[in-house]
């Protein structure tokens, strides 16, 4: 890992970890959920699409357009909507922690599909520990009301979408370059929300701070973050790049606690550590650069 690689990784983790904070700011500014997600995808498209076009990747994208549309729905549109709706009832730092369960879902899918215990004892133990962390969060931090419970379940479901999407693309769209996949699914997600965007637009002009939050969320946390992710993949490979999945949640907590004055209890800390420990163990219990075939996880 070179200094450039670590710089890219920390920048990426900071951007992805900040996404939850900017969602919260946009919601506080009176912007409706569908419009937040639409603007996020629109700005992400404006960053990613020119790069994808310059690489000449869209002939291969056209061959897989139906599957890419499905992936866009379960990996971008669905998770973005679920997280944004969820943050109306739970803190941004809690959303970041729950999304960190994505590697747990990836490991569970691998365990169900393999039928031969290739995950190993440590991997199975990691799944169990991660689930215990989720139970701690739901049993203590999210049990105050039905709204917080459902919001937490929605964000957890978003983590499942982040796990399923890369598995589908790796198995069925291997001939499409990663930048083509990223550019196409963000663009397709934007088009899915285009019909509802005019009806969910704010009735009054949001403040400059709200627009700034949307701009950073879309152009930074979606568009630029994806570009950095693929630069990092090119530099150090997808296995080492997956380390960002363990760093981003800490940024989401730091932003939420220090900038949004969110609470962070002992049970929240325990849930975070259990989920991250379980994710690490489920991913073979090794540091990322020693893994051989592990999917890099997607952001919020």
């Amino acid at each position: 890992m070179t200094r450039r690689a670590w710089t890219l990784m920390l920048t990426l983790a900071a951007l992805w970890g900040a996404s939850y904070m900017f969602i919260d700011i946009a919601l506080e500014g009176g912007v409706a959920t569908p419009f937040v997600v639409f603007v996020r995808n629109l700005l992400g498209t404006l960053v990613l699409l020119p790069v994808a076009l310059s690489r000449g990747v869209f002939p291969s994208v056209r061959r897989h357009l139906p599957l890419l549309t499905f992936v866009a729905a379960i990996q971008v549109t669905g998770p973005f909507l679920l997280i944004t709706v969820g943050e109306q009832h739970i803190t941004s730092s809690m959303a970041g922690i729950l999304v960190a369960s994505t590697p747990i879902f990836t490991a569970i899918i691998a365990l169900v599909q393999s039928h031969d215990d290739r995950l190993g004892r440590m991997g199975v133990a990691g799944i169990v520990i991660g689930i215990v962390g989720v139970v701690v969060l739901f049993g203590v931090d999210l049990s105050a009301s039905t709204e917080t419970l459902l919001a937490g379940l929605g964000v957890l479901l978003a983590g499942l979408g982040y796990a399923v999407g890369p598995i589908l693309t790796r198995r069925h769209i291997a001939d499409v370059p990663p930048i083509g996949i990223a550019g196409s699914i963000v663009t397709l997600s934007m088009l899915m929300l285009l019909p509802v965007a005019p009806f969910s637009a704010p009735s009054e002009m949001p403040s400059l701070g709200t627009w700034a939050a949307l701009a950073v969320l879309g152009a930074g946390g979606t568009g630029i973050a994806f570009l950095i992710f693929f630069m990092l993949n090119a530099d150090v490979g997808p296995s080492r790049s997956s380390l960002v999945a363990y760093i981003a949640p800490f940024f989401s907590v730091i932003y939420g606690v220090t900038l949004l004055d969110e609470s962070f209890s002992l049970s929240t800390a325990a849930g975070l550590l259990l989920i991250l420990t379980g994710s690490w163990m489920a991913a073979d219990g090794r540091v990322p650069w020693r893994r051989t075939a592990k999917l890099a996880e997607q952001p919020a």
Side-chain angles (χ1 to χ4, degrees), residues 113-289:
Q113 289 183 338
S114 65
H115 302 296
D116 61 1
D117 200 28
R118 276 183 286 183
L119 197 62
R121 292 181 180 178
M122 181 171 284
V124 174
I127 292 176
V128 174
I129 291 173
I131 291 175
V132 170
V134 171
V135 170
V136 168
L137 293 178
F138 276 86
V140 180
D141 294 80
L142 299 175
S143 60
S145 67
T146 302
E147 288 79 8
T148 57
L149 185 63
L150 292 176
L153 289 172
V155 176
L156 203 62
L157 184 60
L160 176 60
Y162 285 150
V164 172
I167 292 174
L168 289 176
T169 55
R170 185 181 68 170
R171 292 186 176 180
H172 303 290
I173 321 178
D175 59 318
V176 180
I179 188 61
I181 293 174
S184 62
I185 63 176
V186 172
T187 301
L188 288 166
S189 179
M190 180 270 294
L191 293 174
M192 289 177 193
L193 293 166
L194 183 59
V196 302
F199 303 100
S200 61
S203 56
E204 298 180 1
M205 180 63 67
S207 67
L208 183 61
T210 301
W211 281 117
L214 286 170
V216 179
L217 175 65
T222 305
I224 294 174
F226 267 115
L227 289 178
I228 293 175
F229 180 69
F230 293 122
M231 290 170 60
L232 193 60
N233 272 342
D235 282 356
V236 300
S239 294
R240 294 184 182 183
S241 300
S242 66
L243 180 61
V244 72
Y246 306 104
I247 303 174
F250 289 102
F251 276 97
S252 69
V253 169
I254 291 170
Y255 294 138
V257 172
T258 61
L259 300 179
L260 299 180
D261 198 27
E262 296 176 351
S263 62
F264 187 73
S265 65
L266 184 61
S267 60
T268 307
L272 171 63
L273 293 177
L274 286 168
I275 289 173
L276 292 182
T277 300
S279 297
W280 172 72
M281 292 174 64
D284 298 336
R286 308 173 197 167
V287 289
W289 49 85

Side-chain angles (χ1 to χ4, degrees), residues 7 44 88 175 220 297:
T7 301
Q88 296 177 19
D175 59 318
E297 308 302 337

Side-chain angles (χ1 to χ4, degrees), residues 18-40 43 80 83-85 87-88 92 200-202 204-218 260 262:
S19 296
Y20 310 98
M21 176 183 67
F22 290 123
I23 290 171
D24 187 82
I25 293 173
L27 292 173
E28 289 292 327
V31 184
T33 291
F35 197 75
V36 170
V37 179
F38 170 73
V39 172
R40 179 179 186 178
L43 295 175
F80 282 7
I83 292 169
T84 307
V85 169
E87 285 199 41
Q88 296 177 19
S92 66
S200 61
E204 298 180 1
M205 180 63 67
S207 67
L208 183 61
T210 301
W211 281 117
L214 286 170
V216 179
L217 175 65
L260 299 180
E262 296 176 351

Side-chain angles (χ1 to χ4, degrees), residues 5-146:
W6 279 113
T7 301
L8 289 174
M9 184 170 294
L10 291 174
T11 302
L12 179 59
L15 284 171
W16 276 345
S19 296
Y20 310 98
M21 176 183 67
F22 290 123
I23 290 171
D24 187 82
I25 293 173
L27 292 173
E28 289 292 327
V31 184
T33 291
F35 197 75
V36 170
V37 179
F38 170 73
V39 172
R40 179 179 186 178
N41 284 319
L42 174 63
L43 295 175
T45 296
L46 293 177
V47 173
L48 291 168
L49 195 59
V51 179
L53 287 171
S54 69
R55 303 287 177 85
V57 300
F58 281 96
S60 60
V61 166
R62 284 195 296 268
R63 292 195 296 270
H64 300 286
L65 198 56
L67 182 55
L68 282 168
T69 302
F70 178 69
V71 171
I74 65 171
Q75 191 183 349
V76 181
T77 308
F80 282 7
L81 286 171
L82 287 168
I83 292 169
T84 307
V85 169
E87 285 199 41
Q88 296 177 19
H89 305 286
I90 64 175
T91 63
S92 66
S93 53
M94 179 61 69
I97 293 171
L98 289 173
V99 171
S101 64
T102 298
I104 301 293
F105 285 119
T106 302
I108 291 173
I109 294 170
L111 180 64
V112 170
Q113 289 183 338
S114 65
H115 302 296
D116 61 1
D117 200 28
R118 276 183 286 183
L119 197 62
R121 292 181 180 178
M122 181 171 284
V124 174
I127 292 176
V128 174
I129 291 173
I131 291 175
V132 170
V134 171
V135 170
V136 168
L137 293 178
F138 276 86
V140 180
D141 294 80
L142 299 175
S143 60
S145 67
T146 302

